[in-house]
Amino acid sequence: AGLFRLPAQDRSWQRIGGDLPDGVIATCIHAASAARDVIYLATARHGLFRSADGGQRFEPINAGLPRSVGVAPVTPVKHLVIDAQDPDVVYASTEVNCVYKTTDGGAVWTAANTGMPGSFNLTVLVLDPASPTTLYAGTGGSGLYKTTNGAGSWQAVTTNLPASTTYNALLIAPTTPK
């Protein structure tokens, strides 16, 4: 168990994240494309972590995230996406209040869910590679939502989609994002 990476030009896996708390259950891990050594880790019980050194050390970055509905100390974070041009801008989907955003690398998170129907099971986020302020949020039974202003406000996407669809994955084609 644990986190492992395969360094470039190497054939052996290396364990990383030895400073993470016992019992961490990773739900999503992303490396920032604009800063290769920056890694964000979402977890089911311990919120979010950030590494600035390629995963050797992780720091918790939960300021502003709500407590969990259950017994976990921080709301479960299901998915996250990082702005390809700015590794300090990150969006996280959570169990409580749906979407949170940071613009300072996780020092402070703020709810970014205006236009979403209350608290529901947010499943997945995807960021438009052609427009870093355009995101889609797929839910667990409450539909699909879109923002074009960096999660300032969201609108339901309903054209030709069933209202109660559960979204487990979303993809924006990089060559044809429309």
Side-chain angles (χ1 to χ4, degrees):
L3 296 176
F4 294 84
R5 74 174 182 177
L6 183 62
Q9 313 294 323
D10 200 346
R11 293 180 186 250
S12 61
W13 289 89
Q14 296 175 346
R15 187 180 179 110
I16 63 173
D19 59 343
L20 291 168
D22 289 340
V24 163
I25 300 170
T27 56
C28 186
I29 186 167
H30 277 289
S33 58
R36 296 182 60 104
D37 287 337
V38 175
I39 297 172
Y40 290 90
L41 175 68
T43 72
R45 294 184 35 83
H46 296 89
L48 289 159
F49 294 86
R50 182 180 192 269
S51 173
D53 61 7
Q56 296 308 311
R57 291 180 311 274
F58 281 89
E59 294 182 38
I61 52 168
N62 295 320
L65 291 178
R67 291 194 54 79
S68 174
V69 173
V71 297
V74 180
T75 185
V77 179
K78 300 194 178 199
H79 199 251
L80 57 93
V81 291
I82 306 168
D83 184 321
Q85 296 157 0
D86 186 348
D88 288 336
V89 176
V90 182
Y91 302 87
S93 68
T94 65
E95 176 183 75
V96 178
N97 297 331
C98 306
V99 178
Y100 278 80
K101 177 181 180 179
T102 184
T103 58
D104 56 14
V108 177
W109 294 88
T110 56
N113 55 9
T114 301
M116 291 184 164
S119 199
F120 57 82
N121 187 10
L122 192 61
T123 307
V124 66
L125 293 169
V126 65
L127 185 69
D128 187 332
S131 172
T133 59
T134 300
L135 292 95
Y136 292 86
T139 69
S142 297
L144 180 67
Y145 291 82
K146 178 182 181 179
T147 180
T148 57
N149 59 7
S153 61
W154 295 84
Q155 299 81 36
V157 177
T158 58
T159 306
N160 297 324
L161 294 172
S164 62
T165 299
T166 295
Y167 293 87
N168 294 311
L170 293 172
L171 173 69
I172 297 176
T175 56
T176 54
K178 297 287 181 204

